[in-house]
Amino acid sequence: QVQLVESGGGVVQPGRSLRLSCAASGFTFSSYGMQWVRQGPGKGLEWVAVIWYDGGNYYADSVKGRFTISRDNSRNTLYLQMNSLRAEDTAVYYCARISGGDSGSYFDYWGRGNLVTVSS
Amino acid sequence: DIQMTQSPSTLSASVGDRVTITCRASQSISSWLAWYQQKPGKAPKVMIYKASSLESGVPSRFSGSGSGTEFTLTISSLQPDDFATYYCQQYHSSWTFGQGTKVEIK
């Protein structure tokens, strides 16, 4: 079965960096686009970044220039490098798989999430 | 950017009620809309995709309709497991979520 397991979260000071990982299993990782989505405390869902199966990527304006999404298909792992972190980046970060086929690019599987807290 | 607006923000209902949540897009998104259910402390789960297609394993009491800019999620007979927050999401151009609708016990 499809599994996505995030790791790497924690407490970090403003201005510092953190890297999240998402280990994928149960499907051919290299064939799917992958996403990061975040949810601030008590808030709604916010799309963060996408990386397609061919490595093309795209970011939300709120993280552009600070965050970098990448993937290692040999390790079946998705990454999110977060630099220059701000208090407003505090959130649970989810990785999610983009569905395949002609039903469009909705998110069909999600990880359980990983909390990132930016605080001095 | 495409904005998604859900209504209501909170909905109080009883078991067995028919429940409808509305989602409006700031511009046409054809049928590129999904609905997700999220329970406290858990990841979202897709319920409906392409506006009206039921995700595998989702109970048939859930249905979706609409196209263009107006969409609805309907639960025909609310069950105890359905009390949760529901989000719409457009995936016509990038991805945007609505602000969520919390379905709570009346």
Side-chain angles (χ1 to χ4, degrees), chain A residues 4 6 37-39 43-46 92-97 106-114, chain B residues 34-48 55 58 84-89 97-98:
Chain A
L4 299 170
E6 300 96 340
V37 176
R38 69 184 181 183
Q39 187 169 35
K43 296 186 177 179
L45 300 167
E46 179 189 15
V92 173
Y93 285 74
Y94 296 99
C95 65
R97 190 183 83 166
Y106 68 97
F107 307 159
D108 59 356
Y109 287 93
W110 296 64
R112 296 177 67 178
N114 203 213
Chain B
W35 289 96
Y36 298 86
Q37 177 194 69
Q38 188 180 34
K39 296 181 179 179
K42 301 293 187 182
K45 172 188 173 185
V46 64
M47 308 299 279
I48 301 284
E55 180 75 356
V58 173
T85 299
Y86 294 85
Y87 294 91
C88 63
Q89 177 209 40
F97 293 92

mmCIF file of all heavy atoms in Angstrom, chain A residues 4 6 37-39 43-46 92-97 106-114, chain B residues 34-48 55 58 84-89 97-98:
data_model
loop_
_atom_site.group_PDB
_atom_site.id
_atom_site.type_symbol
_atom_site.label_atom_id
_atom_site.label_comp_id
_atom_site.label_asym_id
_atom_site.label_seq_id
_atom_site.Cartn_x
_atom_site.Cartn_y
_atom_site.Cartn_z
ATOM 1 N N LEU A 4 3.548 7.373 2.844
ATOM 2 C CA LEU A 4 4.388 8.562 2.814
ATOM 3 C C LEU A 4 4.692 8.931 4.261
ATOM 4 O O LEU A 4 3.768 9.121 5.051
ATOM 5 C CB LEU A 4 3.666 9.721 2.120
ATOM 6 C CG LEU A 4 3.265 9.478 0.658
ATOM 7 C CD1 LEU A 4 2.345 10.584 0.167
ATOM 8 C CD2 LEU A 4 4.492 9.382 -0.221
ATOM 9 N N GLU A 6 6.854 11.533 6.644
ATOM 10 C CA GLU A 6 7.678 12.728 6.757
ATOM 11 C C GLU A 6 8.588 12.653 7.981
ATOM 12 O O GLU A 6 8.247 12.009 8.980
ATOM 13 C CB GLU A 6 6.799 13.985 6.892
ATOM 14 C CG GLU A 6 5.851 14.240 5.749
ATOM 15 C CD GLU A 6 4.460 13.699 6.010
ATOM 16 O OE1 GLU A 6 4.339 12.807 6.882
ATOM 17 O OE2 GLU A 6 3.500 14.141 5.367
ATOM 18 N N VAL A 37 2.429 20.482 1.281
ATOM 19 C CA VAL A 37 1.304 21.315 1.709
ATOM 20 C C VAL A 37 1.500 21.573 3.194
ATOM 21 O O VAL A 37 1.956 20.691 3.921
ATOM 22 C CB VAL A 37 -0.049 20.595 1.473
ATOM 23 C CG1 VAL A 37 -1.214 21.417 2.013
ATOM 24 C CG2 VAL A 37 -0.244 20.307 -0.012
ATOM 25 N N ARG A 38 1.161 22.766 3.665
ATOM 26 C CA ARG A 38 1.312 23.063 5.093
ATOM 27 C C ARG A 38 0.032 23.577 5.693
ATOM 28 O O ARG A 38 -0.867 24.047 4.980
ATOM 29 C CB ARG A 38 2.459 24.043 5.324
ATOM 30 C CG ARG A 38 2.214 25.443 4.819
ATOM 31 C CD ARG A 38 3.479 26.296 5.029
ATOM 32 N NE ARG A 38 3.289 27.679 4.578
ATOM 33 C CZ ARG A 38 4.250 28.602 4.596
ATOM 34 N NH1 ARG A 38 5.468 28.286 5.051
ATOM 35 N NH2 ARG A 38 3.994 29.819 4.170
ATOM 36 N N GLN A 39 -0.027 23.473 7.015
ATOM 37 C CA GLN A 39 -1.208 23.917 7.754
ATOM 38 C C GLN A 39 -0.747 24.564 9.050
ATOM 39 O O GLN A 39 -0.248 23.881 9.952
ATOM 40 C CB GLN A 39 -2.129 22.738 8.038
ATOM 41 C CG GLN A 39 -3.449 23.104 8.653
ATOM 42 C CD GLN A 39 -4.412 21.934 8.664
ATOM 43 O OE1 GLN A 39 -4.023 20.777 8.841
ATOM 44 N NE2 GLN A 39 -5.699 22.219 8.471
ATOM 45 N N LYS A 43 -5.260 26.748 11.371
ATOM 46 C CA LYS A 43 -5.546 27.368 10.069
ATOM 47 C C LYS A 43 -5.873 26.319 9.007
ATOM 48 O O LYS A 43 -5.874 25.119 9.286
ATOM 49 C CB LYS A 43 -4.344 28.204 9.629
ATOM 50 C CG LYS A 43 -4.064 29.384 10.542
ATOM 51 C CD LYS A 43 -2.968 30.248 9.975
ATOM 52 C CE LYS A 43 -2.728 31.468 10.857
ATOM 53 N NZ LYS A 43 -1.639 32.335 10.337
ATOM 54 N N GLY A 44 -6.132 26.804 7.801
ATOM 55 C CA GLY A 44 -6.453 25.928 6.692
ATOM 56 C C GLY A 44 -5.214 25.420 5.978
ATOM 57 O O GLY A 44 -4.078 25.620 6.419
ATOM 58 N N LEU A 45 -5.446 24.758 4.862
ATOM 59 C CA LEU A 45 -4.372 24.142 4.086
ATOM 60 C C LEU A 45 -3.791 25.132 3.084
ATOM 61 O O LEU A 45 -4.531 25.887 2.440
ATOM 62 C CB LEU A 45 -4.928 22.917 3.345
ATOM 63 C CG LEU A 45 -5.518 21.826 4.236
ATOM 64 C CD1 LEU A 45 -6.320 20.835 3.406
ATOM 65 C CD2 LEU A 45 -4.413 21.105 4.996
ATOM 66 N N GLU A 46 -2.475 25.113 2.963
ATOM 67 C CA GLU A 46 -1.781 25.989 2.022
ATOM 68 C C GLU A 46 -0.804 25.177 1.191
ATOM 69 O O GLU A 46 0.101 24.541 1.730
ATOM 70 C CB GLU A 46 -1.022 27.106 2.758
ATOM 71 C CG GLU A 46 -0.271 28.041 1.832
ATOM 72 C CD GLU A 46 0.652 29.011 2.566
ATOM 73 O OE1 GLU A 46 0.935 28.783 3.772
ATOM 74 O OE2 GLU A 46 1.098 29.976 1.940
ATOM 75 N N VAL A 92 2.283 22.416 10.368
ATOM 76 C CA VAL A 92 2.460 20.999 10.048
ATOM 77 C C VAL A 92 2.658 20.908 8.544
ATOM 78 O O VAL A 92 1.857 21.454 7.778
ATOM 79 C CB VAL A 92 1.246 20.171 10.487
ATOM 80 C CG1 VAL A 92 1.380 18.725 9.997
ATOM 81 C CG2 VAL A 92 1.093 20.206 12.005
ATOM 82 N N TYR A 93 3.723 20.251 8.140
ATOM 83 C CA TYR A 93 4.037 20.095 6.722
ATOM 84 C C TYR A 93 3.694 18.677 6.284
ATOM 85 O O TYR A 93 4.164 17.705 6.885
ATOM 86 C CB TYR A 93 5.514 20.391 6.465
ATOM 87 C CG TYR A 93 5.812 21.870 6.511
ATOM 88 C CD1 TYR A 93 5.852 22.553 7.718
ATOM 89 C CD2 TYR A 93 6.032 22.586 5.344
ATOM 90 C CE1 TYR A 93 6.104 23.919 7.772
ATOM 91 C CE2 TYR A 93 6.292 23.956 5.370
ATOM 92 C CZ TYR A 93 6.315 24.614 6.593
ATOM 93 O OH TYR A 93 6.551 25.967 6.638
ATOM 94 N N TYR A 94 2.871 18.585 5.251
ATOM 95 C CA TYR A 94 2.476 17.294 4.686
ATOM 96 C C TYR A 94 3.119 17.112 3.310
ATOM 97 O O TYR A 94 3.140 18.050 2.502
ATOM 98 C CB TYR A 94 0.957 17.242 4.468
ATOM 99 C CG TYR A 94 0.102 17.319 5.713
ATOM 100 C CD1 TYR A 94 -0.485 18.522 6.108
ATOM 101 C CD2 TYR A 94 -0.163 16.186 6.480
ATOM 102 C CE1 TYR A 94 -1.296 18.587 7.227
ATOM 103 C CE2 TYR A 94 -0.976 16.243 7.600
ATOM 104 C CZ TYR A 94 -1.534 17.456 7.962
ATOM 105 O OH TYR A 94 -2.347 17.515 9.081
ATOM 106 N N CYS A 95 3.598 15.898 3.046
ATOM 107 C CA CYS A 95 3.895 15.579 1.658
ATOM 108 C C CYS A 95 2.691 14.832 1.090
ATOM 109 O O CYS A 95 1.949 14.176 1.822
ATOM 110 C CB CYS A 95 5.171 14.767 1.502
ATOM 111 S SG CYS A 95 5.141 13.113 2.214
ATOM 112 N N ALA A 96 2.481 14.975 -0.195
ATOM 113 C CA ALA A 96 1.321 14.368 -0.846
ATOM 114 C C ALA A 96 1.689 13.959 -2.262
ATOM 115 O O ALA A 96 2.507 14.613 -2.913
ATOM 116 C CB ALA A 96 0.148 15.339 -0.862
ATOM 117 N N ARG A 97 1.067 12.901 -2.717
ATOM 118 C CA ARG A 97 1.281 12.417 -4.080
ATOM 119 C C ARG A 97 0.228 13.016 -4.996
ATOM 120 O O ARG A 97 -0.946 13.123 -4.632
ATOM 121 C CB ARG A 97 1.187 10.893 -4.129
ATOM 122 C CG ARG A 97 1.621 10.296 -5.449
ATOM 123 C CD ARG A 97 1.452 8.792 -5.475
ATOM 124 N NE ARG A 97 0.098 8.400 -5.812
ATOM 125 C CZ ARG A 97 -0.261 7.161 -6.166
ATOM 126 N NH1 ARG A 97 0.671 6.204 -6.199
ATOM 127 N NH2 ARG A 97 -1.525 6.873 -6.443
ATOM 128 N N TYR A 106 -5.026 16.180 -8.581
ATOM 129 C CA TYR A 106 -5.397 16.304 -7.164
ATOM 130 C C TYR A 106 -4.468 15.416 -6.340
ATOM 131 O O TYR A 106 -3.642 14.689 -6.888
ATOM 132 C CB TYR A 106 -6.872 15.940 -6.960
ATOM 133 C CG TYR A 106 -7.215 14.494 -7.188
ATOM 134 C CD1 TYR A 106 -7.297 13.593 -6.128
ATOM 135 C CD2 TYR A 106 -7.470 14.016 -8.471
ATOM 136 C CE1 TYR A 106 -7.611 12.272 -6.339
ATOM 137 C CE2 TYR A 106 -7.783 12.692 -8.691
ATOM 138 C CZ TYR A 106 -7.860 11.827 -7.627
ATOM 139 O OH TYR A 106 -8.162 10.501 -7.846
ATOM 140 N N PHE A 107 -4.592 15.491 -5.022
ATOM 141 C CA PHE A 107 -3.661 14.792 -4.137
ATOM 142 C C PHE A 107 -4.336 13.530 -3.606
ATOM 143 O O PHE A 107 -5.259 13.614 -2.798
ATOM 144 C CB PHE A 107 -3.247 15.696 -2.968
ATOM 145 C CG PHE A 107 -2.712 17.038 -3.380
ATOM 146 C CD1 PHE A 107 -2.715 18.089 -2.491
ATOM 147 C CD2 PHE A 107 -2.200 17.263 -4.650
ATOM 148 C CE1 PHE A 107 -2.231 19.341 -2.848
ATOM 149 C CE2 PHE A 107 -1.708 18.500 -5.022
ATOM 150 C CZ PHE A 107 -1.733 19.552 -4.117
ATOM 151 N N ASP A 108 -3.861 12.354 -4.041
ATOM 152 C CA ASP A 108 -4.581 11.145 -3.683
ATOM 153 C C ASP A 108 -4.039 10.445 -2.439
ATOM 154 O O ASP A 108 -4.770 9.665 -1.814
ATOM 155 C CB ASP A 108 -4.675 10.180 -4.873
ATOM 156 C CG ASP A 108 -3.331 9.759 -5.423
ATOM 157 O OD1 ASP A 108 -2.286 10.265 -4.952
ATOM 158 O OD2 ASP A 108 -3.325 8.918 -6.349
ATOM 159 N N TYR A 109 -2.793 10.682 -2.069
ATOM 160 C CA TYR A 109 -2.249 10.124 -0.835
ATOM 161 C C TYR A 109 -1.455 11.197 -0.107
ATOM 162 O O TYR A 109 -0.732 11.980 -0.734
ATOM 163 C CB TYR A 109 -1.349 8.908 -1.118
ATOM 164 C CG TYR A 109 -2.121 7.681 -1.527
ATOM 165 C CD1 TYR A 109 -2.343 7.394 -2.867
ATOM 166 C CD2 TYR A 109 -2.647 6.811 -0.566
ATOM 167 C CE1 TYR A 109 -3.061 6.286 -3.251
ATOM 168 C CE2 TYR A 109 -3.374 5.689 -0.943
ATOM 169 C CZ TYR A 109 -3.577 5.444 -2.281
ATOM 170 O OH TYR A 109 -4.308 4.335 -2.661
ATOM 171 N N TRP A 110 -1.570 11.200 1.218
ATOM 172 C CA TRP A 110 -0.916 12.179 2.061
ATOM 173 C C TRP A 110 -0.115 11.468 3.151
ATOM 174 O O TRP A 110 -0.512 10.410 3.629
ATOM 175 C CB TRP A 110 -1.948 13.071 2.758
ATOM 176 C CG TRP A 110 -2.790 13.921 1.869
ATOM 177 C CD1 TRP A 110 -3.690 13.502 0.933
ATOM 178 C CD2 TRP A 110 -2.844 15.346 1.868
ATOM 179 N NE1 TRP A 110 -4.296 14.573 0.337
ATOM 180 C CE2 TRP A 110 -3.804 15.723 0.893
ATOM 181 C CE3 TRP A 110 -2.194 16.344 2.597
ATOM 182 C CZ2 TRP A 110 -4.109 17.062 0.629
ATOM 183 C CZ3 TRP A 110 -2.507 17.678 2.331
ATOM 184 C CH2 TRP A 110 -3.451 18.025 1.354
ATOM 185 N N GLY A 111 0.996 12.094 3.568
ATOM 186 C CA GLY A 111 1.677 11.643 4.761
ATOM 187 C C GLY A 111 0.938 12.097 6.005
ATOM 188 O O GLY A 111 -0.075 12.814 5.920
ATOM 189 N N ARG A 112 1.447 11.706 7.163
ATOM 190 C CA ARG A 112 0.788 12.052 8.424
ATOM 191 C C ARG A 112 1.143 13.452 8.892
ATOM 192 O O ARG A 112 0.503 13.984 9.794
ATOM 193 C CB ARG A 112 1.158 11.031 9.497
ATOM 194 C CG ARG A 112 0.668 9.639 9.174
ATOM 195 C CD ARG A 112 1.115 8.629 10.222
ATOM 196 N NE ARG A 112 0.468 8.870 11.512
ATOM 197 C CZ ARG A 112 0.655 8.103 12.571
ATOM 198 N NH1 ARG A 112 1.459 7.058 12.506
ATOM 199 N NH2 ARG A 112 0.036 8.370 13.706
ATOM 200 N N GLY A 113 2.164 14.052 8.292
ATOM 201 C CA GLY A 113 2.529 15.412 8.640
ATOM 202 C C GLY A 113 3.683 15.485 9.624
ATOM 203 O O GLY A 113 3.933 14.549 10.386
ATOM 204 N N ASN A 114 4.390 16.616 9.606
ATOM 205 C CA ASN A 114 5.557 16.841 10.458
ATOM 206 C C ASN A 114 5.528 18.301 10.896
ATOM 207 O O ASN A 114 5.413 19.194 10.047
ATOM 208 C CB ASN A 114 6.825 16.521 9.672
ATOM 209 C CG ASN A 114 8.006 16.178 10.542
ATOM 210 O OD1 ASN A 114 9.144 16.463 10.209
ATOM 211 N ND2 ASN A 114 7.772 15.566 11.681
ATOM 212 N N ALA B 34 -11.521 19.211 -6.218
ATOM 213 C CA ALA B 34 -11.529 18.072 -5.298
ATOM 214 C C ALA B 34 -12.062 18.522 -3.940
ATOM 215 O O ALA B 34 -11.992 19.698 -3.588
ATOM 216 C CB ALA B 34 -10.119 17.508 -5.138
ATOM 217 N N TRP B 35 -12.599 17.565 -3.210
ATOM 218 C CA TRP B 35 -13.046 17.786 -1.832
ATOM 219 C C TRP B 35 -12.259 16.849 -0.917
ATOM 220 O O TRP B 35 -12.104 15.661 -1.207
ATOM 221 C CB TRP B 35 -14.540 17.480 -1.685
ATOM 222 C CG TRP B 35 -15.456 18.456 -2.343
ATOM 223 C CD1 TRP B 35 -16.032 18.360 -3.582
ATOM 224 C CD2 TRP B 35 -15.940 19.694 -1.791
ATOM 225 N NE1 TRP B 35 -16.824 19.443 -3.837
ATOM 226 C CE2 TRP B 35 -16.793 20.277 -2.750
ATOM 227 C CE3 TRP B 35 -15.740 20.346 -0.576
ATOM 228 C CZ2 TRP B 35 -17.452 21.502 -2.538
ATOM 229 C CZ3 TRP B 35 -16.386 21.557 -0.366
ATOM 230 C CH2 TRP B 35 -17.232 22.120 -1.334
ATOM 231 N N TYR B 36 -11.783 17.415 0.207
ATOM 232 C CA TYR B 36 -11.034 16.648 1.186
ATOM 233 C C TYR B 36 -11.735 16.717 2.539
ATOM 234 O O TYR B 36 -12.323 17.746 2.898
ATOM 235 C CB TYR B 36 -9.609 17.206 1.346
ATOM 236 C CG TYR B 36 -8.779 17.127 0.088
ATOM 237 C CD1 TYR B 36 -8.849 18.143 -0.860
ATOM 238 C CD2 TYR B 36 -7.947 16.046 -0.154
ATOM 239 C CE1 TYR B 36 -8.096 18.079 -2.028
ATOM 240 C CE2 TYR B 36 -7.194 15.975 -1.321
ATOM 241 C CZ TYR B 36 -7.281 16.996 -2.247
ATOM 242 O OH TYR B 36 -6.535 16.923 -3.409
ATOM 243 N N GLN B 37 -11.618 15.638 3.287
ATOM 244 C CA GLN B 37 -12.098 15.576 4.669
ATOM 245 C C GLN B 37 -10.876 15.537 5.582
ATOM 246 O O GLN B 37 -9.933 14.781 5.339
ATOM 247 C CB GLN B 37 -12.924 14.305 4.871
ATOM 248 C CG GLN B 37 -13.429 14.076 6.284
ATOM 249 C CD GLN B 37 -13.944 12.648 6.473
ATOM 250 O OE1 GLN B 37 -13.172 11.691 6.473
ATOM 251 N NE2 GLN B 37 -15.248 12.510 6.635
ATOM 252 N N GLN B 38 -10.918 16.333 6.651
ATOM 253 C CA GLN B 38 -9.829 16.298 7.614
ATOM 254 C C GLN B 38 -10.383 16.229 9.030
ATOM 255 O O GLN B 38 -11.229 17.028 9.410
ATOM 256 C CB GLN B 38 -8.911 17.523 7.483
ATOM 257 C CG GLN B 38 -7.659 17.415 8.356
ATOM 258 C CD GLN B 38 -6.745 18.608 8.247
ATOM 259 O OE1 GLN B 38 -7.190 19.734 8.069
ATOM 260 N NE2 GLN B 38 -5.438 18.365 8.353
ATOM 261 N N LYS B 39 -9.872 15.272 9.793
ATOM 262 C CA LYS B 39 -10.226 15.158 11.203
ATOM 263 C C LYS B 39 -9.072 15.685 12.033
ATOM 264 O O LYS B 39 -7.917 15.693 11.570
ATOM 265 C CB LYS B 39 -10.551 13.704 11.533
ATOM 266 C CG LYS B 39 -11.781 13.213 10.768
ATOM 267 C CD LYS B 39 -12.131 11.798 11.085
ATOM 268 C CE LYS B 39 -13.383 11.382 10.310
ATOM 269 N NZ LYS B 39 -13.762 9.983 10.573
ATOM 270 N N PRO B 40 -9.345 16.126 13.265
ATOM 271 C CA PRO B 40 -8.293 16.743 14.094
ATOM 272 C C PRO B 40 -7.059 15.850 14.239
ATOM 273 O O PRO B 40 -7.171 14.661 14.546
ATOM 274 C CB PRO B 40 -8.996 16.943 15.438
ATOM 275 C CG PRO B 40 -10.437 17.088 15.083
ATOM 276 C CD PRO B 40 -10.655 16.156 13.935
ATOM 277 N N GLY B 41 -5.897 16.431 13.976
ATOM 278 C CA GLY B 41 -4.645 15.709 14.127
ATOM 279 C C GLY B 41 -4.335 14.724 13.019
ATOM 280 O O GLY B 41 -3.344 13.985 13.111
ATOM 281 N N LYS B 42 -5.164 14.704 11.983
ATOM 282 C CA LYS B 42 -4.968 13.747 10.890
ATOM 283 C C LYS B 42 -4.723 14.473 9.572
ATOM 284 O O LYS B 42 -5.022 15.664 9.431
ATOM 285 C CB LYS B 42 -6.219 12.861 10.737
ATOM 286 C CG LYS B 42 -6.569 12.067 11.975
ATOM 287 C CD LYS B 42 -5.520 11.017 12.277
ATOM 288 C CE LYS B 42 -5.960 10.118 13.429
ATOM 289 N NZ LYS B 42 -4.919 9.106 13.764
ATOM 290 N N ALA B 43 -4.178 13.741 8.616
ATOM 291 C CA ALA B 43 -3.984 14.289 7.283
ATOM 292 C C ALA B 43 -5.314 14.368 6.541
ATOM 293 O O ALA B 43 -6.241 13.590 6.819
ATOM 294 C CB ALA B 43 -3.009 13.418 6.499
ATOM 295 N N PRO B 44 -5.426 15.279 5.601
ATOM 296 C CA PRO B 44 -6.622 15.303 4.758
ATOM 297 C C PRO B 44 -6.755 14.011 3.958
ATOM 298 O O PRO B 44 -5.768 13.344 3.654
ATOM 299 C CB PRO B 44 -6.371 16.495 3.831
ATOM 300 C CG PRO B 44 -5.390 17.347 4.565
ATOM 301 C CD PRO B 44 -4.514 16.382 5.310
ATOM 302 N N LYS B 45 -7.996 13.712 3.603
ATOM 303 C CA LYS B 45 -8.317 12.527 2.810
ATOM 304 C C LYS B 45 -9.214 12.960 1.667
ATOM 305 O O LYS B 45 -10.223 13.633 1.894
ATOM 306 C CB LYS B 45 -9.042 11.509 3.693
ATOM 307 C CG LYS B 45 -9.613 10.311 2.963
ATOM 308 C CD LYS B 45 -10.476 9.484 3.904
ATOM 309 C CE LYS B 45 -11.197 8.375 3.154
ATOM 310 N NZ LYS B 45 -12.131 7.622 4.038
ATOM 311 N N VAL B 46 -8.867 12.581 0.442
ATOM 312 C CA VAL B 46 -9.685 12.984 -0.703
ATOM 313 C C VAL B 46 -10.980 12.196 -0.706
ATOM 314 O O VAL B 46 -10.988 10.981 -0.486
ATOM 315 C CB VAL B 46 -8.913 12.837 -2.033
ATOM 316 C CG1 VAL B 46 -8.549 11.394 -2.333
ATOM 317 C CG2 VAL B 46 -9.710 13.453 -3.183
ATOM 318 N N MET B 47 -12.080 12.900 -0.930
ATOM 319 C CA MET B 47 -13.396 12.281 -0.983
ATOM 320 C C MET B 47 -13.956 12.282 -2.409
ATOM 321 O O MET B 47 -14.525 11.289 -2.871
ATOM 322 C CB MET B 47 -14.356 13.042 -0.064
ATOM 323 C CG MET B 47 -13.856 13.251 1.354
ATOM 324 S SD MET B 47 -13.545 11.723 2.219
ATOM 325 C CE MET B 47 -15.201 11.291 2.738
ATOM 326 N N ILE B 48 -13.804 13.429 -3.074
ATOM 327 C CA ILE B 48 -14.348 13.651 -4.412
ATOM 328 C C ILE B 48 -13.262 14.297 -5.261
ATOM 329 O O ILE B 48 -12.533 15.171 -4.777
ATOM 330 C CB ILE B 48 -15.562 14.610 -4.374
ATOM 331 C CG1 ILE B 48 -16.688 14.061 -3.490
ATOM 332 C CG2 ILE B 48 -16.063 14.946 -5.790
ATOM 333 C CD1 ILE B 48 -17.503 12.941 -4.114
ATOM 334 N N GLU B 55 -13.972 9.102 -4.819
ATOM 335 C CA GLU B 55 -12.724 8.375 -4.636
ATOM 336 C C GLU B 55 -13.031 6.961 -4.152
ATOM 337 O O GLU B 55 -14.001 6.729 -3.422
ATOM 338 C CB GLU B 55 -11.832 9.098 -3.619
ATOM 339 C CG GLU B 55 -10.490 8.447 -3.331
ATOM 340 C CD GLU B 55 -9.460 8.621 -4.446
ATOM 341 O OE1 GLU B 55 -9.789 9.186 -5.510
ATOM 342 O OE2 GLU B 55 -8.314 8.168 -4.234
ATOM 343 N N VAL B 58 -14.751 5.602 -0.639
ATOM 344 C CA VAL B 58 -15.553 6.644 0.026
ATOM 345 C C VAL B 58 -17.034 6.249 -0.042
ATOM 346 O O VAL B 58 -17.525 5.851 -1.107
ATOM 347 C CB VAL B 58 -15.321 8.011 -0.643
ATOM 348 C CG1 VAL B 58 -16.273 9.068 -0.088
ATOM 349 C CG2 VAL B 58 -13.868 8.443 -0.445
ATOM 350 N N ALA B 84 -16.293 16.509 10.812
ATOM 351 C CA ALA B 84 -14.917 16.806 10.391
ATOM 352 C C ALA B 84 -14.919 18.170 9.706
ATOM 353 O O ALA B 84 -15.961 18.818 9.607
ATOM 354 C CB ALA B 84 -14.410 15.733 9.422
ATOM 355 N N THR B 85 -13.748 18.573 9.240
ATOM 356 C CA THR B 85 -13.642 19.781 8.423
ATOM 357 C C THR B 85 -13.436 19.372 6.972
ATOM 358 O O THR B 85 -12.662 18.453 6.690
ATOM 359 C CB THR B 85 -12.482 20.666 8.905
ATOM 360 O OG1 THR B 85 -12.723 21.062 10.263
ATOM 361 C CG2 THR B 85 -12.366 21.922 8.043
ATOM 362 N N TYR B 86 -14.138 20.060 6.072
ATOM 363 C CA TYR B 86 -14.083 19.751 4.652
ATOM 364 C C TYR B 86 -13.483 20.940 3.891
ATOM 365 O O TYR B 86 -13.836 22.091 4.139
ATOM 366 C CB TYR B 86 -15.476 19.416 4.122
ATOM 367 C CG TYR B 86 -16.002 18.142 4.717
ATOM 368 C CD1 TYR B 86 -16.651 18.140 5.944
ATOM 369 C CD2 TYR B 86 -15.815 16.923 4.073
ATOM 370 C CE1 TYR B 86 -17.100 16.962 6.520
ATOM 371 C CE2 TYR B 86 -16.261 15.730 4.637
ATOM 372 C CZ TYR B 86 -16.902 15.767 5.864
ATOM 373 O OH TYR B 86 -17.335 14.587 6.427
ATOM 374 N N TYR B 87 -12.578 20.612 2.982
ATOM 375 C CA TYR B 87 -11.919 21.628 2.163
ATOM 376 C C TYR B 87 -12.164 21.335 0.688
ATOM 377 O O TYR B 87 -12.023 20.179 0.254
ATOM 378 C CB TYR B 87 -10.408 21.633 2.378
ATOM 379 C CG TYR B 87 -9.958 22.053 3.745
ATOM 380 C CD1 TYR B 87 -9.760 21.122 4.758
ATOM 381 C CD2 TYR B 87 -9.709 23.404 4.040
ATOM 382 C CE1 TYR B 87 -9.335 21.501 6.018
ATOM 383 C CE2 TYR B 87 -9.283 23.798 5.305
ATOM 384 C CZ TYR B 87 -9.095 22.844 6.282
ATOM 385 O OH TYR B 87 -8.677 23.235 7.531
ATOM 386 N N CYS B 88 -12.480 22.373 -0.072
ATOM 387 C CA CYS B 88 -12.439 22.228 -1.522
ATOM 388 C C CYS B 88 -11.057 22.671 -2.004
ATOM 389 O O CYS B 88 -10.351 23.416 -1.315
ATOM 390 C CB CYS B 88 -13.542 23.035 -2.208
ATOM 391 S SG CYS B 88 -13.460 24.825 -1.998
ATOM 392 N N GLN B 89 -10.674 22.194 -3.179
ATOM 393 C CA GLN B 89 -9.371 22.524 -3.756
ATOM 394 C C GLN B 89 -9.517 22.593 -5.271
ATOM 395 O O GLN B 89 -10.040 21.660 -5.885
ATOM 396 C CB GLN B 89 -8.337 21.457 -3.409
ATOM 397 C CG GLN B 89 -6.964 21.668 -4.015
ATOM 398 C CD GLN B 89 -6.233 20.352 -4.251
ATOM 399 O OE1 GLN B 89 -6.810 19.360 -4.673
ATOM 400 N NE2 GLN B 89 -4.934 20.340 -3.986
ATOM 401 N N PHE B 97 -6.756 25.981 -1.927
ATOM 402 C CA PHE B 97 -7.790 25.402 -1.076
ATOM 403 C C PHE B 97 -8.778 26.478 -0.630
ATOM 404 O O PHE B 97 -8.407 27.649 -0.465
ATOM 405 C CB PHE B 97 -7.157 24.793 0.174
ATOM 406 C CG PHE B 97 -6.289 23.594 -0.093
ATOM 407 C CD1 PHE B 97 -4.929 23.742 -0.318
ATOM 408 C CD2 PHE B 97 -6.824 22.314 -0.107
ATOM 409 C CE1 PHE B 97 -4.112 22.646 -0.553
ATOM 410 C CE2 PHE B 97 -6.023 21.206 -0.353
ATOM 411 C CZ PHE B 97 -4.666 21.384 -0.575
ATOM 412 N N GLY B 98 -9.995 26.059 -0.393
ATOM 413 C CA GLY B 98 -10.933 26.908 0.318
ATOM 414 C C GLY B 98 -10.543 26.984 1.786
ATOM 415 O O GLY B 98 -9.645 26.262 2.242
#
